[in-house]
Amino acid sequence: MDSRLSSCTEVVSEESEEESNGVNLMEFSDEILLHILSYVPCTDLVLNVRRTCRKLATLCLDKSLTHTVLLQKDYKVNKDKVKQLMRDIGKEIYQLNMAGCYWLPSSTIDHVTRCKNLVKLNLSGCSVTSLRLSKMLSSLQHLRSLAIDVNPGFNASKLSSECKATLSRVSELKQTLYTPSYGVVPCCTSLEKLLLYFEILDRSREGFMLSGQLMVGESNVPHYQNLRIFYARLAPGYVNQEVVRLYLAVLSDRTPENLHAFLISAPGSFAETGATKNLLDSMARNVRLDALQLPKSWINGSGLLQHLKFNNPFYFSFSRCTLSGGHLIQRVINGGKDLKSLTSLNLSGCVHCLAPESVFRKAEDDIDSSILESLVVSCCNLRHLNLSAAHHHSSESLGNHLCQLLSRLKHLLSLALPVCSITDVGASVEKPPSTPNLVPQTFGRKVRIGVQTYPSNLGDQTNQKIESSVFWALMGSLRFLETLEIIGSSFSSAMPRNEPAIRNSLPPCVRAQSVGDSEVAAISQLTYLQSLTLAQLPNILTGSGLVNIGLQCQHLRTLSLANLGMMGKVVYMSALMDMLKHCKCLRDLRLEQPYFCAGAQFFQALSHCSALQRLCIVSRSGTLQSDAVMSFMASCLEVIMCHMFMGESLTVCKNLQQSIVRSFQAERPALNVVIFPLLHEDLTEVIRDVPMRHLDEITLFKSRVAEEPPNLWW
């Protein structure tokens, strides 16, 4: 049973008047109790809590609690619990989210047929065959929203007429493709929202090259006449590009009149063709958009943005485009037009987006503060802003620092910045303070250094320096920020997708050399911070700021640290261990650092994170202690994912992985363990077996701020 309600059930089961501060929980009004119960997983409510007393038996079956059932993060649910849940409240469920329940056997889906009134169903990440899908959908006549995976072996011809009748009424479809196919799209003749995730590998497990042309023989084509939202996200690989072109070919013939969101997220180069050019020309003539994202090659060097028309835009992404600030202001913001409707903006990798032009400009040149000011004034209601993966250097003009201008965006909930953008201009030209133990910021031989110490509390002089900085002021003005990413403009993860591990990293930007412990300490002002990413902060000397964050940011749920300080030694280990002792709400932890020692002291500190569910460590030449890992897994009962890519031998990794699975798999059905040498040639084959939920959310490093439009899917 969920620990959040354990005290309540104990009071009730004893049928006594035990009081806490003079108040009996059962004396609260039904409205208050229903609000409390809404934080408890539905499986616990129906299978456990409602059996404690008559009052809770009634409340736990209230429509407000059974209307929507979310199982996507309920890692303790198993097939039997799902079966019992569907028996007890199946007819009361209108929305069911089982996304990412990779551990449930495919037969579990059979029990969904009891939910006769389902309107929304999310089965992304679940194993579903064509026949099972057909049987299930045949009984869900009220279904209007569906999310599924299309795996190798899918055959649309096995779908029954009743199933196709259900699909014909579906207006929202999210489809993740692991094989070249239209999936169920041709059956969905009433589509208004279509989300496509292309995860097709270029090679099969047997090493054969795949082709996107395998789907050409299918007789039916998509029906887009009612489409309002089209979204496609492509994983790396040419097959994904081939397949998405076939989906787009139908759109180029006739652009839906009601289309108001058109988004394509494609890594690398995705060349424009005659068909896509016709599509964009048709969109420019016939539709007014509210959300836009296009591959960089479709925007770079073209006048497309000048011709597209926008209504009340809420999302723009120009990630990795060479769009200049002048074009951004003139063509998108229309010379300072009021864009209060815009809530999410992704300019990640747009190296010239804050400069008037890009022809003769170097990426490291100072930004034009007037462009950023126009952006801030026009888009004053921004909630999500991504400026990472670029050099945004402020000039010495008083009051025009990037941090000072961004502090006007009082509604920001998530923010991603390059490290070099947060430094004070005066400090950036100074060399970082040197210490006798400083190690060059390159990979090299381990240097033996004494035990690192750090001040538990910052001194007065340091406090004055911090509180006068522009970054300190920015953090103080964004008190409701929930997600923050500070990432080095030249940082690249050691473990990219579908490629061997990167052995070398680029040096940090010169302007970033002074960013270190004091800037990290400034982040501790964010009382409501839930997710924090810090990557390639070169001047971390002790990590003292991490302790401040652990003490002050009590809502922190996700923490990702990569390449902090010197590269030859983990200088912040002592501070990190002290920080972890205070992170009671931490769910996800990702660490990427060369020479990281995952030993007994580290895992003992990590054991204080009682809510931890997922752990990922990526470390070139890193070491681990198997006994310490096993003790940690035994003490932290919520951990269901352990990914460690270190410098240990294949034998050590395999033995530890097998021991963890053998010891804990029975009690933790969702347990996913991958322990493997980082530089092993078979790493990419191992990665392809990781559940997409973990791979996309934590294992692979990426900037996630404004990655997709807000509320794209439920």
Side-chain angles (χ1 to χ4, degrees), residues 117-133:
N117 295 315
L118 265 186
V119 176
K120 301 184 71 172
L121 175 62
N122 192 340
L123 296 176
S124 295
C126 297
S127 177
V128 186
T129 63
S130 304
L131 290 176
R132 276 207 159 90
L133 182 66

Side-chain angles (χ1 to χ4, degrees), residues 288 408 605 678 699:
R288 299 181 71 89
R408 303 181 191 178
L678 177 62
T699 305

Side-chain angles (χ1 to χ4, degrees), residues 345 537 673:
L345 178 62
L537 276 64
V673 183

Side-chain angles (χ1 to χ4, degrees), residues 1-215:
M1 188 184 307
D2 195 280
S3 58
R4 288 168 290 189
L5 209 68
S6 59
S7 60
C8 167
T9 55
E10 287 173 5
V11 169
V12 175
S13 61
E14 294 176 4
E15 298 182 355
S16 64
E17 288 288 329
E18 290 183 22
E19 297 181 348
S20 176
N21 296 326
V23 178
N24 187 338
L25 189 60
M26 289 299 101
E27 293 179 354
F28 288 162
S29 68
D30 289 354
E31 289 77 10
I32 294 177
L33 288 174
L34 284 172
H35 181 73
I36 295 173
L37 293 171
S38 68
Y39 289 92
V40 181
C42 190
T43 49
D44 269 339
L45 287 178
V46 176
L47 305 183
N48 296 317
V49 179
R50 77 183 179 105
R51 293 185 169 88
T52 57
C53 76
R54 291 180 180 178
K55 185 170 185 176
L56 288 179
T58 301
L59 291 178
C60 287
L61 296 181
D62 188 86
K63 289 184 178 181
S64 65
L65 301 177
T66 60
H67 179 277
T68 300
V69 174
L70 307 177
L71 301 180
Q72 80 277 19
K73 291 283 189 178
D74 190 351
Y75 295 117
K76 294 182 179 180
V77 72
N78 55 33
K79 178 183 177 181
D80 293 334
K81 288 184 178 181
V82 173
K83 180 180 179 179
Q84 189 62 46
L85 186 69
M86 300 307 166
R87 281 182 177 178
D88 290 353
I89 63 168
K91 294 181 180 180
E92 309 300 324
I93 302 175
Y94 289 81
Q95 300 183 15
L96 176 61
N97 191 343
M98 297 176 63
C101 292
Y102 55 86
W103 63 92
L104 294 177
S106 58
S107 58
T108 309
I109 305 302
D110 297 341
H111 304 295
V112 177
T113 57
R114 294 179 178 272
C115 306
K116 302 294 184 182
N117 295 315
L118 265 186
V119 176
K120 301 184 71 172
L121 175 62
N122 192 340
L123 296 176
S124 295
C126 297
S127 177
V128 186
T129 63
S130 304
L131 290 176
R132 276 207 159 90
L133 182 66
S134 178
K135 179 183 177 182
M136 177 189 64
L137 293 182
S138 296
S139 62
L140 304 179
Q141 299 180 7
H142 301 286
L143 196 67
R144 296 295 180 269
S145 178
L146 175 66
I148 59 169
D149 291 353
V150 177
N151 292 296
F154 178 85
N155 188 348
S157 65
K158 294 183 179 180
L159 301 179
S160 67
S161 57
E162 294 84 358
C163 170
K164 292 180 179 179
T166 297
L167 288 171
S168 69
R169 294 185 289 268
V170 168
S171 59
E172 298 179 355
L173 177 66
K174 177 182 177 182
Q175 193 169 254
T176 304
L177 295 157
Y178 294 94
T179 188
S181 172
Y182 279 130
V184 300
V185 172
C187 302
C188 302
T189 56
S190 303
L191 276 182
E192 296 181 11
K193 176 190 287 189
L194 177 60
L195 277 57
L196 299 168
Y197 292 76
F198 295 87
E199 298 290 343
I200 311 166
L201 297 174
D202 290 344
R203 291 180 179 271
S204 67
R205 291 185 180 276
E206 295 75 24
F208 299 114
M209 297 292 291
L210 296 178
S211 171
Q213 300 301 318
L214 293 176
M215 57 187 279

Side-chain angles (χ1 to χ4, degrees), residues 360-574:
F360 301 107
R361 180 182 183 271
K362 295 181 180 179
E364 298 82 8
D365 289 346
D366 289 349
I367 64 172
D368 185 335
S369 59
S370 65
I371 292 176
L372 180 58
E373 186 170 16
S374 296
L375 183 68
V376 168
V377 172
S378 301
C379 311
C380 57
N381 288 325
L382 274 177
R383 285 170 171 77
H384 313 280
L385 176 62
N386 194 329
L387 294 173
S388 64
H391 297 274
H392 294 317
H393 298 165
S394 298
S395 65
E396 296 186 18
S397 301
L398 187 64
N400 290 327
H401 193 283
L402 178 141
C403 290
Q404 293 173 314
L405 295 174
L406 291 183
S407 65
R408 303 181 191 178
L409 297 174
K410 302 299 184 183
H411 301 288
L412 276 180
L413 296 178
S414 63
L415 176 65
L417 295 174
V419 174
C420 55
S421 72
I422 69 172
T423 183
D424 285 273
V425 178
S428 65
V429 297
E430 301 175 1
K431 293 183 179 180
S434 59
T435 65
N437 295 330
L438 192 61
V439 178
Q441 297 211 18
T442 56
F443 293 118
R445 297 174 59 191
K446 293 183 180 179
V447 179
R448 196 170 188 82
I449 302 176
V451 177
Q452 198 74 40
T453 59
Y454 61 91
S456 56
N457 293 305
L458 297 171
D460 292 339
Q461 184 175 358
T462 307
N463 270 330
Q464 292 175 3
K465 174 189 174 183
I466 296 174
E467 295 178 12
S468 63
S469 72
V470 290
F471 184 63
W472 176 275
L474 175 63
M475 294 294 96
S477 67
L478 304 178
R479 292 303 179 106
F480 298 103
L481 200 69
E482 296 176 355
T483 299
L484 177 65
E485 298 177 351
I486 306 294
I487 304 173
S489 52
S490 57
F491 174 77
S492 58
S493 175
M495 196 174 64
R497 190 172 183 185
N498 299 340
E499 302 170 19
I502 295 177
R503 296 171 182 267
N504 298 307
S505 61
L506 297 174
C509 171
V510 175
R511 288 273 189 113
Q513 293 290 346
S514 63
V515 178
D517 296 317
S518 58
E519 285 74 18
V520 174
I523 298 172
S524 64
Q525 297 176 87
L526 302 175
T527 307
Y528 300 100
L529 188 67
Q530 296 182 22
S531 177
L532 175 63
T533 298
L534 301 174
Q536 202 180 38
L537 276 64
N539 200 33
I540 295 292
L541 301 178
T542 64
S544 57
L546 294 174
V547 184
N548 294 64
I549 294 174
L551 288 168
Q552 301 298 325
C553 305
Q554 287 296 300
H555 297 283
L556 191 65
R557 297 165 64 93
T558 300
L559 177 64
S560 176
L561 306 177
N563 291 10
L564 303 185
M566 62 183 71
M567 299 294 282
K569 178 179 173 61
V570 188
V571 296
Y572 60 91
M573 178 63 90
S574 181

